[in-house]
Amino acid sequence: MHVFIPVHFRAPLGGLQAHVIAQLRAVHRVGGKVTVMAPSGPFADMVLAEGAHFVTSSDAPVHTEAKRAIAEAKEPFDLVHAHPFRARQVGLEVARQLGVPFLLTLHSLYNDQLSSYADSVDTVIAVSNAIRDRLLAENAILPERIVVIPNGVDTERFTAARKRMPAAERRRVLVATRLDRDKLFILDALIATWRRLAKCRAFDIEWTIAGEGVERERLEHAAAELEKRAGKPLVRFLGWLTEDELPVAYVEADLCIAPGRCALEAMASG
């Protein structure tokens, strides 16, 4: 079984990329092969390190991209498992050209215009019951073509880190998220909190920020204002953490603020 997984993104790393890595590992465990098509960058290195084949995506027309994916494959594809946006368009075209089954994973309430191509989709994987219910309410696709596979975490990896650090006088809050515009609902609340703490002169909390993105500079500016009022460092920016580093960051914190997958990982870490 050779699976083609096209994926499109702007942020170099994030939950979507982690999801795909988990996918290809699952395929490898049962003896299958995977080819991933995505933008170049650190994610490509992760895919290659897992032993999968990687094809760099481009801005070429969808039909051209599909033909190139097929041409650069080491052997024919048996299945296409796509993720939304442009990746879905390329995946659909590859499946059409080869006449192989097409699976689509939906990660949010955004349905990726599913009703317009539903007849070409063999199965939709929804990562929550809420997404499935939304698709059913919209009559986007036949109910028998929807499967719910909830997001999860590597419990062995995260529970292994549960040995807590020695008690300390400080209180530490971890913010684990991409620092991009789709996460502004978290980042704006964080900045408002820092301004409130500065106004109240409450400087007994240390903040650790795990993540990268285009909003980092704005967050750093807000952190600098807090530290200026406090007269001491209070905020650490760790950037993007690896799978081994992130569990340690969770257990070092007393509280975690996070969306989606990071929330699950925080709970798994105790």
Side-chain angles (χ1 to χ4, degrees), residues 67-135:
K67 289 185 66 175
R68 188 167 64 83
I70 294 170
E72 293 189 21
K74 294 183 176 180
E75 57 186 72
F77 300 131
D78 301 297
L79 173 71
V80 176
H81 188 158
H83 295 267
F85 309 113
R86 179 175 167 84
R88 181 264 301 169
Q89 297 174 345
V90 173
L92 266 176
E93 182 60 22
V94 169
R96 186 193 67 78
Q97 291 187 24
L98 297 179
V100 299
F102 177 80
L103 279 66
L104 174 68
T105 293
L106 293 178
H107 300 263
S108 70
L109 295 178
Y110 171 68
N111 68 16
D112 200 26
Q113 301 175 333
L114 177 58
S115 59
S116 65
Y117 55 89
D119 290 343
S120 301
V121 180
D122 292 271
T123 301
V124 171
I125 298 175
V127 301
S128 72
N129 290 333
I131 295 173
R132 176 203 58 197
D133 294 345
R134 178 72 171 269
L135 296 177

Side-chain angles (χ1 to χ4, degrees), residues 238-253:
L238 302 182
W240 184 264
L241 299 183
T242 67
E243 287 183 324
D244 293 324
E245 295 168 333
L246 194 53
V248 176
Y250 286 128
V251 299
E252 286 182 341

Side-chain angles (χ1 to χ4, degrees), residues 51-69:
H53 183 52
F54 187 86
V55 178
T56 303
S57 61
S58 72
D59 295 327
V62 168
H63 185 270
T64 303
E65 283 286 87
K67 289 185 66 175
R68 188 167 64 83

Side-chain angles (χ1 to χ4, degrees), residues 83-215:
H83 295 267
F85 309 113
R86 179 175 167 84
R88 181 264 301 169
Q89 297 174 345
V90 173
L92 266 176
E93 182 60 22
V94 169
R96 186 193 67 78
Q97 291 187 24
L98 297 179
V100 299
F102 177 80
L103 279 66
L104 174 68
T105 293
L106 293 178
H107 300 263
S108 70
L109 295 178
Y110 171 68
N111 68 16
D112 200 26
Q113 301 175 333
L114 177 58
S115 59
S116 65
Y117 55 89
D119 290 343
S120 301
V121 180
D122 292 271
T123 301
V124 171
I125 298 175
V127 301
S128 72
N129 290 333
I131 295 173
R132 176 203 58 197
D133 294 345
R134 178 72 171 269
L135 296 177
L136 293 176
E138 295 174 347
N139 293 314
I141 194 169
L142 294 172
E144 56 267 28
R145 294 191 184 182
I146 305 174
V147 176
V148 178
I149 304 178
N151 281 327
V153 298
D154 183 344
T155 54
E156 183 177 346
R157 179 184 299 274
F158 287 94
T159 57
R162 279 190 176 182
K163 185 178 180 181
R164 296 301 299 259
M165 296 297 185
E169 294 182 1
R170 92 291 183 269
R171 293 184 293 171
R172 181 173 293 166
V173 176
L174 170 69
V175 181
T177 181
R178 279 189 296 105
L179 310 181
D180 286 309
R181 293 188 177 94
D182 61 323
K183 304 299 183 184
L184 286 180
F185 63 99
I186 290 179
L187 305 182
D188 287 345
L190 178 61
I191 290 173
T193 299
W194 287 347
R195 288 172 177 167
R196 178 66 180 270
L197 293 177
K199 183 178 181 180
C200 298
R201 302 197 61 78
F203 304 130
D204 61 338
I205 299 175
E206 294 180 3
W207 300 82
T208 301
I209 314 300
E212 273 294 352
V214 298
E215 293 294 312

Side-chain angles (χ1 to χ4, degrees), residues 226-244:
L226 173 65
E227 293 180 334
K228 181 179 179 180
R229 294 289 298 273
K232 61 180 180 179
L234 291 175
V235 185
R236 293 188 303 157
F237 287 85
L238 302 182
W240 184 264
L241 299 183
T242 67
E243 287 183 324
D244 293 324

